Amino acid sequence: MSSLNAVERLGYWVAGNPLIIIAAAVLLTIVSLHYAQFIESQGMNTESMVGKDSPLYQLYDHLYVEKFGTESIAVIVEANDVANPAILKSMLVLSDKMKEAPDVISVNSIADIVADGQASQTGVREIPTQERVDEILSSPDSLPAVSGMMPDRSHTMLSIEMPVTLTEKQLGELYTETKAQVKIASFPPDTVVTVTGKPALMMSITSEMAASNGPILGLAGLLMVVALFLTFRQVKWCLLPIPIVFLGIIWTFGAMGYLKIPFTMVSMSAFPVLVGIGIDYAIQFHNRIDEEFRKGTPPVQAVVETISHVSVPVMIALIITAMGFVSLLTSSVPMTRDFGLLCLIGLFLCYLSALFVGVTILFAAEKRSSRQNAKENKKSVDAPQETFIGLGLERIADICLRKWQAVLVIALLLSVLGIYADTQVQVETDFKNYIPQDLAPLIDFRHMSDIFGGTDSIKLLIQTNDVTDPKTLEWMDEFSDYLQESRDQIYGATSIATYVKQANGGTMPLDQTTARSLINELPDAVRSRYLDGHDTAIIDLNVGQMVSQLGAEGTDRFIKEIDKDIAWRTPPADVSVRETGDPVVMTTVIAALTTGRSEMTLLGLVLIFGLLLIIYRDLIKALLPVLPMLVVIGWMGGVMYITDMKYTPLTAALGALILGVGSEYAILMMERFYEELNNVGDPSEALRITTRRIGSALMASGLTTVFGFGALIASTFLITNNFGLITVLAVIFALLTTFTVFVVLMFRMEIRRETVNNAKQELMKSLKFINARGE
């Protein structure tokens, strides 16, 4: 044993301690299930998209959200005449009940305007006669508020305002309470009442995604079983890789809870990626140990041979794959960094599951089978099977080697064109386009937008020593008017100056005492919405459906135009004006996803090449896995451009995904090729043996991943469908280049190496001969 290397000693330890390994796996699984309960869900909020230490986060979250941030559940009321007293009475009942609900800041409706107007005259807060209702709604004091809530006599909206900081649970409870109170309010039979708004839409999307995940995951599991039956049935226990990789996934969930990595729309996509890559680890160990068993190798020695020849190549593949995901840790988007970190942890745990648990189970099963065969005097020696897939891949490799110039030229040309086309691929910024377009809550939301205008808004954050200074109020009012007149996309601009001017009879007060007096007389809901103390205020710019209409680039240009307007219409000397709000945050995040995507991919390639050079100390071996990945990246960009697909937060890490999948297949293929080359000495024969022996295992792994992700294509959610389709194409292209472009490069480079080495040897012989003659 003293002459054994570390890997061989590990093999003997695994074979000698199956009970310890299984017990440790069970204990780790129990601990993981415990910590998995502490995983926190995090929606598409600012915290998941912007780093907490960034100026953008500080401005949006600490200055805007904490001081002014609210969102609303909208109750749309439709009838022949929504100002009918019977309808207004039901609205008032609903309004009063929701004002008593926890976490509700305010409730605004035309019913409240009418009831408050009646109370100011009679002292009783009630809905009066139709004549009096019309009088209140048409009065100059009520008209500005009424016009925003009732665009015509057939439609009106009751708005329930709440803090934007509510948890999903609190928001869900409030949404449920709203729907229940709508029923209790007993609107007249001919009245249509719809509960909608962005919070309601997000709640509906969350529940719809949760309901659709089960069938999709079930379909994915079924398709993976089918894939292994089709491509891996030549081995015993061909379905074992599935539970082995899912054991690694369970451990990853535990690590996620222990390390407090949030569960976001992007981080959840790490698990299909881990299944796709991790199952290859299980298949490689499984394929090699089964090969040893069929050759008649004793079980203990089979474990040693498997771990000696597979653990290091797979570990190298893991490290190189990890380099692709390490590049994601440089992203400025937290949810992208979480995705990268989760992939790094999950890859290592899936490797441990395959190395220890997978090999131990197969060893124990074979040991038991060997004892049974010994009792029955049976021989269990079979030659390694030559599979149909392996033979087919060998033929493909032979054809590519014969036509190697054409293969490389076509691959390179398509890759260059694809890399250029990728720069023209758009990014989908409107989250409403990620979901099924026939989803009832989305239809309701768009119906509301059509009637009342869009809900997008940009906030101008005003900071100064005293916002109530008449000069500051005058500038806010004039700048608001200027924006509405000069920018077609701005449908309204509201600030504390708007209400001060309205309360002062349509003119701005000239002295600060009057201004403060008017502000103090405003309702608390108005003051808290537009003013914080005396040093901070906002101008709320209603930009309708700008994000949907202009897209990411158009929205970004519009935001920059407003910055130019601020510079042109300069505020008073001590006044600071900055833009914030959801559109500003979203365009910044999209820019980070798009502009940083290429840099992260390039960094991943450099890291992979550098690490391979350190590991192998061989330029050819370092270059070989990198070149086919460049080809796949180019092909994917071209396909996305031709098919008019768009990048989403899930597919922004496509480069890292390709590096992860593509490098793994290439490295495993290369390691086996050089192992066989060392055995037979002839590159052509080594390549044939490698393709036959490992080709079917790589195809089993690849097709299992393709079938698993193929289930995601059945999703009605565009963001999931898009991610599944792109991943399927990436895996297919990675497999295709492995058995075509990579095979050609590996063979031609090795032939070139041999030619150079032979030339050097001949040169050395000649020099020796010349020296000998000279002597």
Side-chain angles (χ1 to χ4, degrees), residues 43 80 85 92 169 242 301 311 353 426 456 487 597 666 683 707:
N80 290 330
L92 189 61
K169 182 181 178 182
I242 293 178
Q301 193 59 36
S311 62
S353 176
Q426 299 297 310
D456 296 335
R487 300 292 174 192
R597 190 178 72 245
F707 276 44

Side-chain angles (χ1 to χ4, degrees), residues 224 245 249 270-281 283 347 350 657 661 664-665 700-702 704-706 708-709 727 731:
M224 290 172 73
V245 73
I249 296 298
F271 293 100
V273 172
L274 291 176
V275 170
I277 299 176
I279 202 166
D280 191 44
Y281 302 159
I283 286 175
L347 287 175
C350 287
L657 182 64
V661 176
E664 181 189 8
Y665 296 153
S701 170
T704 302
T705 305
V706 166
F709 277 97
T727 307
V731 174

Side-chain angles (χ1 to χ4, degrees), residues 68 144 458-462 467 472-481 483-484 492-503 508 518-519 522-523 525-532 536-542 577:
F68 305 105
I458 293 174
K459 316 295 183 182
L460 301 184
L461 191 69
I462 314 295
V467 174
T472 302
L473 292 173
E474 183 72 28
W475 179 86
M476 291 171 66
D477 180 59
E478 290 179 354
F479 189 65
S480 297
D481 290 341
L483 288 177
Q484 292 181 81
T494 309
S495 67
I496 194 69
T498 307
Y499 288 92
V500 170
K501 184 177 181 180
Q502 180 182 322
M508 294 300 297
L518 292 170
I519 289 171
L522 293 173
V526 172
R527 284 202 309 272
S528 62
R529 185 168 184 174
Y530 297 102
L531 183 67
D532 182 71
T536 309
I538 61 166
I539 299 176
D540 188 351
L541 304 179
N542 178 7
V577 183

Side-chain angles (χ1 to χ4, degrees), residues 344-363:
L344 291 173
I345 295 169
L347 287 175
F348 180 69
L349 293 176
C350 287
Y351 175 81
L352 292 182
S353 176
L355 171 60
F356 291 105
V357 181
V359 171
T360 298
I361 290 174
L362 290 168
F363 165 70

Side-chain angles (χ1 to χ4, degrees), residues 422-631:
D422 183 66
T423 62
Q424 310 301 312
V425 176
Q426 299 297 310
V427 180
E428 183 57 75
T429 58
D430 190 351
F431 81 94
K432 294 187 290 297
N433 291 333
Y434 296 159
I435 62 181
Q437 299 304 292
D438 58 352
L439 194 67
L442 178 60
I443 294 173
D444 291 338
F445 185 86
R446 285 182 168 156
H447 181 57
M448 177 192 72
S449 298
D450 291 340
I451 297 170
F452 298 94
T455 57
D456 296 335
S457 65
I458 293 174
K459 316 295 183 182
L460 301 184
L461 191 69
I462 314 295
Q463 287 187 294
T464 184
N465 292 330
D466 194 345
V467 174
T468 63
D469 186 319
K471 291 182 180 179
T472 302
L473 292 173
E474 183 72 28
W475 179 86
M476 291 171 66
D477 180 59
E478 290 179 354
F479 189 65
S480 297
D481 290 341
Y482 167 76
L483 288 177
Q484 292 181 81
E485 293 170 3
S486 61
R487 300 292 174 192
D488 294 337
Q489 295 88 351
I490 296 178
Y491 300 101
T494 309
S495 67
I496 194 69
T498 307
Y499 288 92
V500 170
K501 184 177 181 180
Q502 180 182 322
N504 198 48
T507 59
M508 294 300 297
L510 300 177
D511 62 281
Q512 192 166 14
T513 303
T514 304
R516 287 196 175 187
S517 175
L518 292 170
I519 289 171
N520 291 334
E521 291 174 3
L522 293 173
D524 291 340
V526 172
R527 284 202 309 272
S528 62
R529 185 168 184 174
Y530 297 102
L531 183 67
D532 182 71
H534 284 157
D535 60 355
T536 309
I538 61 166
I539 299 176
D540 188 351
L541 304 179
N542 178 7
V543 291
Q545 303 181 53
M546 181 187 68
V547 174
S548 300
Q549 294 170 349
L550 300 183
E553 293 183 3
T555 301
D556 185 52
R557 285 195 299 270
F558 181 77
I559 290 169
K560 290 176 180 176
E561 287 299 316
I562 292 180
D563 281 333
K564 292 178 182 178
D565 290 335
I566 295 171
W568 175 253
R569 308 280 293 197
T570 310
D574 60 340
V575 177
S576 165
V577 183
R578 289 175 289 176
E579 291 184 78
T580 186
D582 289 337
V584 177
V585 172
M586 185 57 69
T587 52
T588 305
V589 171
I590 293 303
L593 289 173
T594 52
T595 58
R597 190 178 72 245
S598 300
E599 285 80 354
M600 287 189 293
T601 302
L602 182 60
L603 175 62
L605 285 169
V606 172
L607 288 173
I608 288 172
F609 173 73
L611 194 57
L612 285 172
L613 199 57
I614 292 171
I615 292 172
Y616 291 118
R617 297 182 181 181
D618 185 319
L619 184 60
I620 290 177
K621 288 186 176 181
L623 272 175
L624 275 174
V626 172
L627 296 177
M629 285 185 280
L630 278 171
V631 171

Side-chain angles (χ1 to χ4, degrees), residues 291-478:
E291 185 180 317
E292 296 296 334
F293 290 153
R294 289 182 182 278
K295 290 192 295 187
T297 309
V300 172
Q301 193 59 36
V303 171
V304 174
E305 287 294 315
T306 297
I307 292 179
S308 297
H309 290 98
V310 178
S311 62
V312 173
V314 173
M315 174 57 80
I316 292 172
L318 185 156
I319 293 171
I320 300 307
T321 300
M323 287 301 99
F325 292 116
V326 163
S327 64
L328 297 181
L329 301 182
T330 64
S331 172
S332 61
V333 182
M335 59 185 177
T336 301
R337 294 199 299 268
D338 290 339
F339 173 81
L341 179 59
L342 206 54
C343 286
L344 291 173
I345 295 169
L347 287 175
F348 180 69
L349 293 176
C350 287
Y351 175 81
L352 292 182
S353 176
L355 171 60
F356 291 105
V357 181
V359 171
T360 298
I361 290 174
L362 290 168
F363 165 70
E366 183 64 21
K367 199 173 180 182
R368 182 178 179 182
S369 176
S370 297
R371 291 198 193 104
Q372 187 67 26
N373 289 337
K375 289 179 182 179
E376 299 176 5
N377 295 318
K378 292 182 179 178
K379 293 183 178 181
S380 58
V381 180
D382 294 311
Q385 292 185 357
E386 304 294 353
T387 65
F388 171 78
I389 293 174
L391 294 172
L393 292 173
E394 182 186 349
R395 293 192 189 96
I396 291 172
D398 285 340
I399 293 171
C400 290
L401 291 178
R402 289 199 300 271
K403 307 285 186 181
W404 67 272
Q405 296 100 330
V407 170
L408 293 183
V409 168
I410 293 171
L412 181 62
L413 181 61
L414 292 176
S415 179
V416 170
L417 292 174
I419 289 172
Y420 171 75
D422 183 66
T423 62
Q424 310 301 312
V425 176
Q426 299 297 310
V427 180
E428 183 57 75
T429 58
D430 190 351
F431 81 94
K432 294 187 290 297
N433 291 333
Y434 296 159
I435 62 181
Q437 299 304 292
D438 58 352
L439 194 67
L442 178 60
I443 294 173
D444 291 338
F445 185 86
R446 285 182 168 156
H447 181 57
M448 177 192 72
S449 298
D450 291 340
I451 297 170
F452 298 94
T455 57
D456 296 335
S457 65
I458 293 174
K459 316 295 183 182
L460 301 184
L461 191 69
I462 314 295
Q463 287 187 294
T464 184
N465 292 330
D466 194 345
V467 174
T468 63
D469 186 319
K471 291 182 180 179
T472 302
L473 292 173
E474 183 72 28
W475 179 86
M476 291 171 66
D477 180 59
E478 290 179 354

